[in-house]
């Protein structure tokens, strides 16, 4: 369903702009952007984000439990876990790029830290916009020039490294 939508988006952009791809045209690729963002929500590249607390502070969970975090302690969060919280994301295990579209915007449901595939706050990845630009440019070229079919089973995630990958081979026919 979403592959058809991103291919149709590319065809419409080619009708409008020809084969040209530049920053402005990449910015028009909303369907592709949401698909990439959803893939990163479900499969973030980093297994854990670590920060050092610069002052004592407390955290209260949504259940009302309070935790004191002393200055100098390491605080960790997992994007793979946080990006699947059911009180933020409806059907969190389902690939649904439309969750980021107008009217839903689930990535903003609980504030600035609802979506943390690129970190967040002051320590968010400054390269996030450039990363999306690069990924859209690559996928735009591939989608405009090739048809794809996954011929191997969908790969399992390999959580054994700091940068997450897949187990086994991923076979794609093009």
């Amino acid at each position: 369903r979403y592959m058809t939508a991103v291919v149709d988006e590319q065809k419409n952009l080619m009708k409008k702009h020809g084969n040209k791809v530049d920053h402005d045209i990449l910015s028009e690729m909303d369907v592709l952007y949401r698909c990439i963002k959803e893939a990163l929500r479900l499969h973030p590249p980093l297994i854990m984000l670590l920060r050092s607390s610069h002052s004592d502070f407390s955290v209260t969970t949504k259940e009302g439990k309070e935790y004191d975090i002393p200055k100098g302690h390491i605080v960790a969060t997992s994007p793979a876990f946080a990006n699947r919280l059911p009180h933020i994301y409806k059907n969190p295990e389902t690939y649904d790029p439309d969750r980021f579209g107008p009217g839903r915007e689930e990535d903003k449901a609980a504030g600035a830290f609802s979506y943390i595939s690129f970190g967040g706050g002051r320590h968010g990845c400054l390269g996030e916009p450039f990363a999306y630009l690069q990924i859209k440019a690559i996928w735009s070229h591939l989608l405009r020039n090739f048809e794809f079919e996954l011929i191997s089973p969908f790969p399992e995630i390999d959580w054994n490294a700091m940068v997450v990958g897949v187990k086994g081979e991923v076979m794609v026919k093009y």
Side-chain angles (χ1 to χ4, degrees), residues 4-170:
T4 300
V6 293
V7 169
D8 287 347
E9 180 179 64
Q10 293 302 309
K11 287 177 183 175
N12 291 334
L13 289 169
M14 287 174 71
K15 284 179 191 169
K16 184 177 175 183
H17 302 289
N19 287 328
K20 180 181 171 186
V21 176
D22 62 19
H23 184 272
D24 293 335
I25 295 167
L26 289 169
S27 297
E28 293 181 45
M29 297 179 188
D30 295 324
V31 176
L32 182 56
Y33 169 76
R34 289 193 306 269
C35 287
I36 293 165
K37 188 169 184 170
E38 179 68 343
L40 288 168
R41 182 188 70 82
L42 289 170
H43 306 285
L46 296 178
I47 195 168
M48 191 180 315
L49 302 175
L50 302 170
R51 300 290 181 259
S52 177
S53 63
H54 294 286
S55 61
D56 295 341
F57 67 97
S58 296
V59 175
T60 304
T61 67
K62 68 183 185 85
E63 292 83 15
K65 178 126 173 86
E66 189 169 308
Y67 294 92
D68 293 323
I69 312 296
K71 179 181 178 176
H73 277 222
I74 301 295
V75 180
T77 188
S78 167
F81 178 79
N83 285 346
R84 294 171 190 243
L85 292 171
H87 65 279
I88 295 175
Y89 296 102
K90 181 181 175 188
N91 301 317
E93 299 299 324
T94 302
Y95 180 84
D96 180 10
D98 294 334
R99 71 176 73 248
F100 303 116
R104 284 183 64 188
E105 298 175 327
E106 293 177 21
D107 55 325
K108 297 176 176 86
F113 296 99
S114 297
Y115 177 85
I116 60 167
S117 292
F118 283 92
R122 282 188 272 165
H123 298 287
C125 177
L126 295 175
E128 180 177 2
F130 184 64
Y132 278 115
L133 196 69
Q134 282 186 307
I135 296 167
K136 286 194 293 186
I138 293 165
W139 273 106
S140 176
H141 176 79
L142 293 172
L143 292 166
R144 289 171 183 224
N145 293 286
F146 301 96
E147 293 178 7
F148 294 93
E149 179 185 349
L150 180 65
I151 57 173
S152 63
F154 194 84
E156 290 182 49
I157 298 172
D158 183 357
W159 297 107
N160 292 319
M162 196 64 176
V163 176
V164 179
V166 295
K167 292 180 182 176
E169 293 183 347
V170 179

